Amino acid sequence: MTNAMELYQMLPKTNCKKCGKTSCMAFAVALMARELTPEDCPPLKEEPKYKEGYEKISSLFKPSEGATETGLIVHEDLCFGCGNCVVACPPNVANDPYGVGSGNAPKNLSKLILVIEDGIVKAQNLGECRRFGKNKILCNGCIVTCPVEAIEFV
């Protein structure tokens, strides 16, 4: 991924405030934080002279489409439902110690973050994820155990 300064270089640099930000640099920072999208900059999206910048920026953010609040993306086309991620997820283990925490079938589905449904991993209860909230950490238990790289964080 790029940084805010590199994004700024691709923007119109007009500081028009049409996006709701005070400057194009503030817009670039909001893009990085995923508070705004490239579509939120009217000159970038609508004026032909900025078409190349718009396309570059849009392509940078394309992989993060469909990401959850934690940045989690499940590539359902790659997942074959092995369940490694379900068992490796620390909050899953803590919230269901006698189910997935013991390598058994889930007993407390209401608290699990990752579950297998119809042979594909699904994310739920993202508020339980270590990557979410005030005290978030960069946990990667689900990623490192996936044999086909069906899970990623952006």
Side-chain angles (χ1 to χ4, degrees):
M1 186 55 149
T2 189
N3 62 40
M5 184 55 81
E6 290 169 337
L7 283 176
Y8 173 74
Q9 295 300 324
M10 295 180 239
L11 293 173
K13 298 185 251 349
T14 59
N15 296 328
C16 68
K17 300 179 180 71
K18 291 179 182 175
C19 63
K21 295 295 178 181
T22 57
S23 67
C24 288
M25 183 51 134
F27 180 77
V29 171
L31 278 174
M32 289 297 297
R34 294 185 172 51
E35 295 169 3
L36 296 174
T37 67
E39 288 73 28
D40 293 319
C41 175
L44 183 67
K45 185 178 177 192
E46 297 164 5
E47 294 182 30
K49 64 183 174 182
Y50 304 123
K51 181 179 181 184
E52 184 181 339
Y54 174 73
E55 289 173 352
K56 277 178 143 178
I57 292 171
S58 294
S59 70
L60 288 171
F61 288 93
K62 194 88 172 142
S64 64
E65 288 178 5
T68 66
E69 302 94 309
T70 62
L72 173 74
I73 297 177
V74 175
H75 300 286
E76 293 186 3
D77 55 324
L78 297 176
C79 180
F80 62 92
C82 69
N84 289 352
C85 57
V86 176
V87 177
C89 174
N92 273 8
V93 171
N95 291 332
D96 191 19
Y98 302 107
V100 297
S102 300
N104 297 314
K107 295 184 191 266
N108 190 0
L109 284 172
S110 66
K111 288 252 183 174
L112 297 181
I113 298 169
L114 298 170
V115 295
I116 303 294
E117 289 179 8
D118 301 323
I120 306 261
V121 68
K122 303 284 183 191
Q124 62 181 21
N125 301 316
L126 292 172
E128 298 286 326
C129 183
R130 290 178 167 194
R131 287 181 169 252
F132 188 74
K134 188 177 80 171
N135 299 317
K136 64 184 175 185
I137 62 169
L138 293 177
C139 178
N140 66 353
C142 58
I143 297 170
V144 298
T145 58
C146 183
V148 293
E149 299 178 355
I151 298 176
E152 71 174 314
F153 283 96
V154 292

